[in-house]
């Protein structure tokens, strides 16, 4: 429960600082994270990201909001994900990563590598 509350706090912090739900298009040069407050994998991903990449500019999109859901659908179409779209979903230019597990950490590292400040 403590882990859940911590992750929820992180999500709320990100959504107020990085809210992009009013966006209508996926823009190049940005990393998007589509998330759901009830998704435990989203919480795990955020903990990893906050620990390893505290300065990463991540655009958070809450799929519970209608605008966020519409943007998720656009991203799913862009990557031909079909009906099996889940969260977390990361989209960055022509690359994406869907889902989260310890093995996904390496894939996420590769996804964000071009966007890290040097």
């Amino acid at each position: 429960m403590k882990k859940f509350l911590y992750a929820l706090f992180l999500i709320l912090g990100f959504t107020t600082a990085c809210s992009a739900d009013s966006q209508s298009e996926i823009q190049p040069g940005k990393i998007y994270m589509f998330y759901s407050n009830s998704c435990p994998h989203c919480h795990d991903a955020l903990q990893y990201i906050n620990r390893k990449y505290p300065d990463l500019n991540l655009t958070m999109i809450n799929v519970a909001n209608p605008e966020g859901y519409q943007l998720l659908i656009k991203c799913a179409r862009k990557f031909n994900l079909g009906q099996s779209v889940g969260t977390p979903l990361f989209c960055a230019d022509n690359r994406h990563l869907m889902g989260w597990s310890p093995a996904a950490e390496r894939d996420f590292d590769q996804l964000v590598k071009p966007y890290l400040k040097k």
Side-chain angles (χ1 to χ4, degrees):
M1 181 68 172
K2 188 175 183 181
K3 181 180 177 182
F4 174 76
L5 291 175
Y6 175 73
L8 182 60
F9 173 75
L10 291 175
I11 287 176
L12 292 175
F14 269 116
T15 57
T16 56
C18 305
S19 179
D21 287 340
S22 62
Q23 248 179 257
S24 61
E25 296 296 327
I26 298 168
Q27 299 176 2
K30 289 187 172 186
I31 305 168
Y32 291 88
M33 179 182 177
F34 294 90
Y35 72 94
S36 169
N37 287 335
S38 61
C39 170
H41 304 291
C42 294
H43 298 274
D44 293 341
L46 277 176
Q47 285 181 346
Y48 175 79
I49 294 165
N50 287 332
R51 184 177 65 248
K52 188 159 183 183
Y53 303 105
D55 297 326
L56 182 65
N57 188 9
L58 191 63
T59 303
M60 303 291 293
I61 306 292
N62 186 343
V63 299
N65 295 333
E67 297 88 3
Y69 182 75
Q70 290 303 315
L71 198 56
L72 171 74
I73 297 303
K74 288 181 182 183
C75 185
R77 286 184 185 141
K78 176 180 178 177
F79 293 106
N80 296 317
L81 299 177
Q83 298 293 326
S84 59
V85 179
T87 57
L89 174 63
F90 299 93
C91 297
D93 293 320
N94 293 321
R95 299 180 69 202
H96 77 282
L97 173 65
M98 185 168 51
W100 194 262
S101 68
E105 294 173 0
R106 182 184 70 245
D107 296 332
F108 182 81
D109 293 342
Q110 291 302 311
L111 180 96
V112 300
K113 193 174 186 178
Y115 301 91
L116 298 176
K117 297 177 184 174
K118 299 180 184 198

